[in-house]
């Protein structure tokens, strides 16, 4: 049955407050959690970007939830280091951790001082990183000379069962490509027809494992307040690739999003004061067959959202999910 989770957005919330939020989310009935992994926020208004891997250890210890993280190995992170991080959390919290791997964004990766590669090079680099991480988690000694370099690396602490490596995709073509290597697929909310095409492409290409969705929502008791939250916090996140991949600084996102209309934001975020409408939107995603849907309230204050969705939305979604079993 579909699990409904809480998305921990490090770009928007101080890690201490975010830890309190995920603890509260578990108590309110959320059944899982996932985490972003950024060096920079998407906007100066968001104002945070804690180190996800430190936070994940605390969050796994403080809750009983399964957790995932979306990571981009290859530039800011060496794949052997990511394999060690995945292996350690997998060993400490068996069966509770997964990692989604993607090609990343320049806003996080430019900090190394290396050039931001072309899209095709980034894709090839990710594929090399996946192979390195898998081999290390399998206990092999790895040396590799390619777009990433590894010299006689071996993980000495590993979980009995390697955590799943999930493919991150926002396009049909990338979903199809992920089927070559991934243990599952993760994407973000989009028009239902597009999501269906991505799922079909992944499965038709032999893609295995669970389907994950991160769903952006904005809720407040008043419609104007829900719209204001989404516009303030998420209007810098409405740009399609390659813009969102290639801009380097939070200030760049703020400049290009100055004149974004509210309608553009509400095409990316499900914005409503009506909890029933949120149920309807989420039931459409549920009907597509997602195994886990992580709810991301795009506001910086999470408690009211957690309480309202825990009491009024999640029970209805669980009933709907149960009827589809």
């Amino acid at each position: 049955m579909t699990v409904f989770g809480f998305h921990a957005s490090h770009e928007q919330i101080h890690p201490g407050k975010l830890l309190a939020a995920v603890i509260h989310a578990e108590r309110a009935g959320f059944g899982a959690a996932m985490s972003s992994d950024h060096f920079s926020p998407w906007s100066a208004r968001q104002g945070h970007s804690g180190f996800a891997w430190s936070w994940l250890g605390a969050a796994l210890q403080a809750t009983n939830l399964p957790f995932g993280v979306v990571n981009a190995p290859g530039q800011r992170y060496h794949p052997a280091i990511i394999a060690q991080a995945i292996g350690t959390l997998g060993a400490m919290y068996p069966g509770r951790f997964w990692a989604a791997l993607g090609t990343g964004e320049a806003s996080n990766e430019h900090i190394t001082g290396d050039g931001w590669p072309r899209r095709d090079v980034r894709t090839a680099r990710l594929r090399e990183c996946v192979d390195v991480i898998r081999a290390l988690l399998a206990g092999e000694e790895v040396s590799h000379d390619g777009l990433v370099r590894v010299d006689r690396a071996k993980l000495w602490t590993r979980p009995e069962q390697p955590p799943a490596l999930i493919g991150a995709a926002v396009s049909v073509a990338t979903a199809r490509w992920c089927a070559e290597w991934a243990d599952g697929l993760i994407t973000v909310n989009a028009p239902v027809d597009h999501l269906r095409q991505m799922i079909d492409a992944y499965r038709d290409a032999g893609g295995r494992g669970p389907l994950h969705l991160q769903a952006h929502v904005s809720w407040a008791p008043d419609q104007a307040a829900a719209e204001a939250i989404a516009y303030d916090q998420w209007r810098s996140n409405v740009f399609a690739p390659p813009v969102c991949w290639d801009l380097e600084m939070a200030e760049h996102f703020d400049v290009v999003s100055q004149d974004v209309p509210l309608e553009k934001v509400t095409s990316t975020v499900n914005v409503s004061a009506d909890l029933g409408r949120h149920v309807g939107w989420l039931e459409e995603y549920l009907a597509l067959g997602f195994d886990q849907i992580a709810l991301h309230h795009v506001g910086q204050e999470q408690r009211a959202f957690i309480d309202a969705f825990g009491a009024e939305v999640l029970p209805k979604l669980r009933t709907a999910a149960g009827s589809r079993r």
Side-chain angles (χ1 to χ4, degrees), residues 123-298:
T123 300
R125 181 173 68 181
L126 174 59
R127 191 67 179 83
E128 290 184 18
C129 289
V130 169
D131 290 344
V132 167
I133 292 168
R134 281 204 190 282
L136 288 168
L137 290 171
E140 300 175 24
E141 181 180 281
V142 176
S143 293
H144 179 80
D145 294 291
L147 293 169
V148 293
R149 300 185 65 191
V150 186
D151 178 43
R152 294 168 292 177
K154 180 179 178 179
L155 291 186
W156 293 91
T157 297
R158 296 182 295 111
E160 291 185 11
Q161 181 66 34
L165 302 182
I166 306 295
V170 294
S171 72
V172 172
T174 302
R176 184 179 298 111
W177 174 74
C178 286
E180 298 176 8
W181 59 266
D183 298 320
L185 184 72
I186 187 168
T187 189
V188 296
N189 61 283
V192 168
D193 287 345
H194 179 73
L195 293 174
R196 185 179 293 111
Q197 290 175 40
M198 289 185 63
I199 293 168
D200 289 346
Y202 180 71
R203 294 298 193 206
D204 291 347
R208 62 186 185 274
L211 301 172
H212 292 256
L213 178 71
Q214 179 187 346
H216 303 306
V217 307
S218 182
W219 174 84
D222 173 76
Q223 181 66 22
E227 291 172 355
I229 288 167
Y231 193 74
D232 177 72
Q233 284 293 294
W234 216 248
R235 70 177 181 268
S236 55
N237 294 64
V238 300
F239 302 103
V243 174
C244 60
W245 292 337
D246 293 343
L247 292 183
E248 292 182 339
M249 305 293 291
E251 291 83 358
H252 296 168
F253 283 95
D254 283 336
V255 168
V256 299
S257 64
Q258 281 179 341
D259 299 319
V260 167
L262 176 63
E263 293 75 18
K264 183 68 172 175
V265 179
T266 57
S267 71
T268 303
V269 182
N270 292 333
V271 181
S272 182
D274 182 354
L275 291 172
R277 193 169 185 196
H278 283 286
V279 171
W281 281 321
L282 292 165
E283 284 185 336
E284 289 184 337
Y285 304 143
L286 183 64
L288 293 172
F290 284 102
D291 299 284
Q292 182 169 309
I293 299 174
L295 307 183
H296 172 210
H297 172 54
V298 299

Side-chain angles (χ1 to χ4, degrees), residues 91-120:
M92 293 180 69
Y93 305 101
R96 289 179 55 199
F97 183 68
W98 52 269
L101 304 178
T103 54
E105 301 94 11
S107 59
N108 301 303
E109 310 305 323
H110 77 89
I111 63 164
T112 65
D114 297 324
W116 181 234
R118 299 186 312 270
R119 169 64 176 168
D120 61 320

